[in-house]
Amino acid sequence: MSFLNVIRRRLMFLILVLFGVTVITFTISNLIPGDPARMIAGDRATPEIVQNIREDLGLDKPLPVQYLRYLEGVVQGDFGNSIRTRRPVLEDLRIFFPATLELALTALFFATALGIPLGVASAVWKDKPIDHFVRVIAVTGISTPAFWLGLLVILLFYGNLGWLPSGGRIDPSLEMPTRVTGFLMIDSLLAGDFQAFGSALKHILLPAFTLGFVHLGVVARQVRAAMLEELQQDYIRTAKANGLSRFKVVFTEALPNAMIPSITVLGLALGDLLYGAVLTETVFAWPGMGAYVVNSIQALDFPAVMGFTVVVSLAYVLINLAVDLIYMAVDPRIREVS
Amino acid sequence: MKNSHWFQVVGAAAVTVGMAVNAPLAMADGDADLLVVAKASDPQTLDPAQTMDNNDWTVTYPLYQRLVAYDVSEDGKGLTSVVGELASDWSASDDGTVWTFDLASGNAFSDGAAVDAAAVEYSFNRLMALGRGPSEAFPGGMKVEATGDMQVTFTLEQPFAPFLYTLANNGAGIVNPAVEGKGDDHGTEWLSANSAGSGAYMLTGWERGQSLVLEPNPNYGGATPEIEKIRVDIIAEAAARRLKLEAGDVHIAESLPVDQLDALGSTDGVEVQNYPSLKVTYLYLNNKVAPLDNVDVRRAISAAVDYQGIIDGILDGNGVQMHGPIPEGMWGQNKNATQYSYDLASAKKALDVAGGASEEISFLYSDRDPLWEPIAIATQAYLSQLGLNVKLEKLANATMRERFDTGEFGIATGNWSPDFADPYMFTNYWFDSKRHGLAGNRSWYSNDKVDGLLQQAVVSSDTAERTALYGELQEIVTDEAAYVYLFQKDYRIAVRDDVEGFVFNPMLEDIFNFGGMSLSD
């Protein structure tokens, strides 16, 4: 029951958040000096052509009217047409958002799969070489610009070794698998196309590593700190006194408890990865939302920017909701408070 | 049993991944049927009646044919003169208001429908009805009518001298009238992502943000293209484009910065090609605001800029100084017009005549072109030698354009390239007092005599007369230093050495004659 209550409350909150996001984004977008109609018409267009476009797009209407029209469309699932691509924004997002999400989730998987073991090892062998090594990884990850690391790995793995492709989602000479989820690796497996799967996997390795590297250090350091705290607790001492092996003490007693605060970090990391993918996408020619939204901002393509903002906000709120629910599932104390 | 099950799953996954990942990387080099072009950004729309961007034209231009096309010289150079493409012949009335075109037979759209007069009429009526940017190149009130199955007549409200040349523009592409059935928007949404032309190629695939694929139009009326597939890969990062070119994964890499091009010059298998271009870079001097409303201040500024220093230092020598508004390579240029050169003494003298200038001068630029910032910084330094107080303002490009339109600036940088091959592009746009602001006259220059010359030149069908009129105009506007005419930058492109038949046309930057190109084995 408490789970349902939390979900219900948070979904109501979600509507308020999305409403606020649309109001703020719409207002800011329209405060920026610049005329989208002029961007479409081109520099040399006569005032008549510009006015014609303005009327077609409804930009000649007062701002509140424009906003209400937009909101009316959004409620009906219509985010309007992109000023730049002339296609429905939702259609554009349907293409670009899964690509970004696939990259972000793979990067998160990479950061988690390596970060947690490194964090545990770092706590168990505190102040030993492995701990120093993880510290170096963490500092390097946080202080290395993604575009620089991206270029470096492209140079090494594509330019010098020729092992991995330099960019894109899949070898362009291959047939794209039928779109089901929008996640290329999953869609290719569903289609039974292992060649496409292999190509998609190869293409995602470098960008996911680059994007996940920053968070790898953060996850490792967070797990280390939490593990150190847990390893000092009385129940650990009791477990040891009862003769539990070191492996069991660390992995079955301390780690599950240490993971609770790490869930927040992972949730935040996924949010970061979603909008932090912009630079990585640029370097690796990854056809995600990054390039789409940057080009849209430059072209004053407000419907596209609004659509992007709404989708990312929605994702953020849902990720936070998921984090809260996972908290409740793994920690009975939080469940009781909720 | 449980463990064994997991081992099986993990083992199968490992084998799948191993087999899949072991597939070889695709290489373009060596495949004579596939040409790969690397571009920095995805096209916005592929509708010729909508797009105003050369980046889109790389794809759209070879998909469509026009009534006329730019000619090629006997030694294989792209010319600014035009020859018939869909038109076999044409004539104009004595007053230049009625143009009649006879269409060649044998041209067809990719669906097999013939290109006839009705298709031409439809395409131009659609272009003008949509009223987007590309329609601006054509005179308002233009009427287009199919006067026979294979004859079309354009009637203009008044003579428009460059008319013939506007027909080679991307916006003049002839569209299959069948698009009218694709939605209730004249096929706009459909055409933004599909092709309906009679060009040498047709669009067969577009993975957004990743690549576009063109394949030969099976019904093309011209010679069958040699290359069976053109792939345009979207690679935003310049260093990645360069690496792929070096590795032979792409054949042509566009928009590489000067340092990358210089480095590629010594790479095996890659040629960096340089072509004189008609794209110019210049400074707008706002003639309406003090102190730039004083002609002697403008002359002083024009003489204080080290043109060759900018070309050598910022362009690495890959450009030439402009000689007035009409660039080298476009007919009508007057070599007798004033060409300013770096001369601090005469600059100071001119400033003395003006009585000095104490006002702060704003200098606008954006990061749209990476050259603009060094130009702004250099100009600030040059003008400080005159004691002029220049304040640099780096703005978002959209904001800067807005300021051009409202005239709220002192100096600003800009680029200009012609839409059609006529001096009109560099004169009527730049100096006509009816085009103040973003529309073209970005220096907010006004001169009744110049307006009169422009009007005479646009209605005259006599090229010698027009040359004389534009010649007189150039002497006036250079003397009055309406703009600072900086340079014509060379068009530089990196190409694999197995690419043959590329003809650069200065009117078609970023556009390739795919139909005439081939790859050596």
Side-chain angles (χ1 to χ4, degrees):
Chain A
M1 188 59 194
S2 58
F3 270 98
L4 287 176
N5 277 339
V6 169
I7 292 172
R8 189 169 47 82
R9 256 204 330 266
R10 295 299 286 272
L11 287 181
M12 285 173 64
F13 175 65
L14 170 72
I15 293 168
L16 284 177
V17 167
L18 291 181
F19 178 71
V21 163
T22 57
V23 170
I24 293 169
T25 315
F26 192 86
T27 309
I28 291 175
S29 300
N30 283 281
L31 285 177
I32 296 170
D35 184 352
R38 172 61 82 175
M39 296 295 286
I40 294 176
D43 288 352
R44 298 163 195 177
T46 58
E48 292 74 33
I49 289 178
V50 177
Q51 183 59 23
N52 177 17
I53 295 172
R54 210 173 276 139
E55 286 169 13
D56 281 359
L57 298 176
L59 297 170
D60 57 330
K61 300 280 183 298
L63 220 52
V65 175
Q66 288 184 44
Y67 176 71
L68 287 176
R69 280 188 176 182
Y70 178 77
L71 213 56
E72 193 183 331
V74 169
V75 170
Q76 294 168 25
D78 176 9
F79 282 66
N81 274 30
S82 159
I83 287 175
R84 198 168 55 86
T85 68
R86 275 73 160 177
R87 292 182 308 116
V89 169
L90 213 54
E91 182 64 23
D92 283 345
L93 292 177
R94 196 180 67 81
I95 292 169
F96 295 118
F97 185 65
T100 297
L101 193 59
E102 185 178 35
L103 177 59
L105 287 173
T106 312
L108 187 67
F109 172 76
F110 162 76
T112 313
L114 284 181
I116 292 173
L118 285 175
V120 172
S122 182
V124 171
W125 289 288
K126 183 170 174 282
D127 294 331
K128 295 287 189 305
I130 181 75
D131 189 21
H132 298 311
F133 171 72
V134 173
R135 190 174 294 119
V136 169
I137 294 273
V139 173
T140 310
I142 289 166
S143 55
T144 305
F147 70 89
W148 180 82
L149 181 64
L151 288 176
L152 201 69
V153 294
I154 289 175
L155 196 62
L156 179 64
F157 291 99
Y158 170 77
N160 291 339
L161 300 172
W163 291 352
L164 293 169
S166 67
R169 282 183 89 186
I170 191 170
D171 183 339
S173 63
L174 295 177
E175 191 81 19
M176 288 288 272
T178 310
R179 174 182 285 267
V180 181
T181 63
F183 287 23
L184 218 43
M185 287 193 292
I186 294 175
D187 287 350
S188 53
L189 283 178
L190 290 175
D193 186 344
F194 294 110
Q195 199 184 4
F197 172 75
S199 179
L201 183 61
K202 266 194 223 172
H203 279 77
I204 207 169
L205 285 178
L206 291 183
F209 165 77
T210 304
L211 188 59
F213 189 61
V214 175
H215 294 279
L216 163 68
V218 176
V219 172
R221 295 296 289 173
Q222 166 65 36
V223 170
R224 176 187 183 272
M227 279 295 288
L228 284 176
E229 198 178 323
E230 292 302 325
L231 289 171
Q232 305 295 322
Q233 300 294 322
D234 290 344
Y235 73 91
I236 295 293
R237 200 176 303 123
T238 309
K240 283 179 183 170
N242 284 339
L244 248 61
S245 68
R246 193 178 186 193
F247 180 86
K248 281 197 168 173
V249 167
V250 170
F251 287 101
T252 62
E253 301 296 323
L255 185 59
N257 290 316
M259 283 308 295
I260 294 173
S262 302
I263 291 168
T264 310
V265 174
L266 292 175
L268 288 173
L270 183 58
D272 276 358
L273 288 166
L274 274 181
Y275 70 77
V278 173
L279 273 180
T280 312
E281 286 179 4
T282 303
V283 173
F284 289 97
W286 189 264
M289 286 204 303
Y292 177 71
V293 77
V294 168
N295 290 334
S296 300
I297 290 168
Q298 286 171 348
L300 304 178
D301 187 351
F302 300 151
V305 175
M306 294 280 293
F308 168 82
T309 314
V310 169
V311 167
V312 170
S313 308
L314 184 67
Y316 237 98
V317 176
L318 291 179
I319 289 166
N320 276 306
L321 174 62
V323 166
D324 287 352
L325 294 177
I326 294 169
Y327 255 177
M328 289 172 64
V330 299
D331 192 338
R333 290 169 300 178
I334 298 171
R335 199 155 56 225
E336 280 167 24
V337 172
S338 296
Chain B
M1 186 62 194
K2 194 177 169 186
N3 277 348
S4 135
H5 176 72
W6 272 105
F7 277 127
Q8 282 172 7
V9 171
V10 172
V15 169
T16 306
V17 170
M19 281 169 59
V21 171
N22 267 333
L25 291 179
M27 303 292 272
D29 204 25
D31 182 352
D33 297 333
L34 171 69
L35 176 92
V36 184
V37 179
K39 289 183 76 68
S41 58
D42 220 13
Q44 300 179 22
T45 169
L46 301 181
D47 184 348
Q50 298 265 356
T51 169
M52 287 298 291
D53 191 343
N54 280 50
N55 185 57
D56 300 354
W57 297 355
T58 303
V59 178
T60 56
Y61 209 81
L63 301 177
Y64 294 88
Q65 287 181 295
R66 285 142 286 271
L67 290 174
V68 296
Y70 292 107
D71 201 0
V72 178
S73 71
E74 284 182 4
D75 60 348
K77 285 185 182 157
L79 302 173
T80 54
S81 53
V82 294
V83 291
E85 187 174 31
L86 288 171
S88 57
D89 193 20
W90 61 84
S91 61
S93 62
D94 289 344
D95 66 354
T97 56
V98 181
W99 289 77
T100 306
F101 291 82
D102 293 322
L103 302 184
S105 58
N107 291 300
F109 295 106
S110 51
D111 67 354
V115 181
D116 56 13
V120 177
E121 181 189 290
Y122 169 77
S123 299
F124 279 94
N125 286 339
R126 175 178 182 272
L127 173 77
M128 301 311 276
L130 288 174
R132 296 300 196 244
S135 67
E136 195 275 331
F138 304 92
M142 177 179 79
K143 288 191 173 54
V144 188
E145 193 183 358
T147 44
D149 287 348
M150 298 299 277
Q151 187 186 69
V152 65
T153 301
F154 293 75
T155 308
L156 316 183
E157 285 183 345
Q158 58 181 16
F160 183 60
F163 178 67
L164 182 64
Y165 295 90
T166 63
L167 300 175
N169 188 295
N170 183 74
I174 304 305
V175 175
N176 190 335
V179 300
E180 196 59 26
K182 312 272 187 190
D184 56 1
D185 58 352
H186 298 298
T188 298
E189 190 180 323
W190 188 85
L191 265 188
S192 71
N194 295 280
S195 68
S198 58
Y201 285 87
M202 58 184 188
L203 182 77
T204 57
W206 185 1
E207 284 302 325
R208 307 273 163 185
Q210 186 160 323
S211 63
L212 300 99
V213 177
L214 314 184
E215 290 180 49
N217 167 7
N219 302 301
Y220 178 54
T224 306
E226 286 200 29
I227 301 174
E228 287 183 14
K229 191 182 275 190
I230 309 280
R231 207 178 69 219
V232 179
D233 285 356
I234 311 304
I235 305 169
E237 176 56 43
R241 289 198 296 281
R242 174 187 160 185
L243 275 171
K244 292 200 93 162
L245 183 76
E246 286 177 326
D249 282 351
V250 305
H251 297 95
I252 299 173
E254 274 191 356
S255 315
L256 291 176
V258 173
D259 57 330
Q260 305 265 16
L261 287 165
D262 290 344
L264 278 170
S266 55
T267 304
D268 281 346
V270 176
E271 286 175 7
V272 176
Q273 302 178 358
N274 274 36
Y275 299 99
S277 132
L278 292 173
K279 185 176 180 179
V280 300
T281 298
Y282 57 136
L283 303 182
Y284 319 144
L285 304 178
N286 191 335
N287 288 217
K288 291 287 180 201
V289 301
L292 302 167
D293 54 351
N294 185 320
V295 66
D296 286 305
V297 173
R298 298 200 300 269
R299 287 175 182 143
I301 290 172
S302 296
V305 172
D306 184 354
Y307 299 89
Q308 201 53 46
I310 287 176
I311 291 167
D312 291 340
I314 298 174
L315 290 185
D316 208 15
N318 295 297
V320 291
Q321 184 187 345
M322 291 174 73
H323 194 134
I326 298 178
E328 193 83 42
M330 175 67 75
W331 66 268
Q333 188 189 44
N334 181 358
K335 287 279 189 190
N336 294 322
T338 307
Q339 186 185 38
Y340 293 90
S341 55
Y342 180 51
D343 182 351
L344 206 52
S346 72
K348 283 180 175 167
K349 202 170 153 190
L351 196 60
D352 286 343
V353 174
S358 57
E359 297 90 341
E360 182 181 85
I361 303 171
S362 63
F363 189 122
L364 310 190
Y365 67 98
S366 75
D367 57 6
R368 174 73 182 257
D369 184 332
L371 299 179
W372 287 351
E373 186 159 70
I375 289 171
I377 292 168
T379 307
Q380 185 187 40
Y382 297 142
L383 300 191
S384 70
Q385 293 176 303
L386 294 179
L388 295 178
N389 179 18
V390 174
K391 182 188 166 202
L392 299 185
E393 280 188 67
K394 186 174 185 179
L395 301 171
N397 202 50
T399 309
M400 184 171 81
R401 291 152 54 101
E402 190 85 353
R403 296 270 294 271
F404 293 163
D405 226 19
T406 54
E408 295 168 68
F409 69 97
I411 306 176
T413 49
N415 297 335
W416 189 270
S417 51
D419 289 342
F420 45 84
D422 194 280
Y424 178 97
M425 286 299 314
F426 296 92
T427 51
N428 292 64
Y429 278 98
W430 288 18
F431 303 106
D432 189 336
S433 57
K434 291 193 194 71
R435 290 185 186 266
H436 280 161
L438 198 55
N441 187 342
R442 295 174 186 172
S443 272
W444 291 72
Y445 174 80
S446 293
N447 182 319
D448 290 343
K449 182 166 187 193
V450 166
D451 282 346
L453 291 170
L454 291 170
Q455 280 309 307
Q456 287 179 61
V458 79
V459 296
S460 170
S461 54
D462 180 347
T463 304
E465 184 191 358
R466 293 185 70 210
T467 303
L469 291 166
Y470 283 136
E472 186 180 351
L473 174 144
Q474 287 169 77
E475 287 177 13
I476 298 170
V477 297
T478 53
D479 178 56
E480 294 193 335
Y483 296 86
V484 176
Y485 307 99
L486 290 178
F487 55 77
Q488 285 175 249
K489 181 187 162 193
D490 289 352
Y491 179 77
R492 302 180 78 200
I493 189 151
V495 181
R496 295 289 306 178
D497 59 7
D498 56 347
V499 176
E500 294 176 348
F502 169 51
V503 176
F504 171 76
N505 190 295
M507 292 305 303
L508 303 173
E509 285 201 8
D510 302 333
I511 295 170
F512 303 92
N513 55 317
F514 293 136
M517 290 166 68
S518 60
L519 294 167
S520 61
D521 293 331

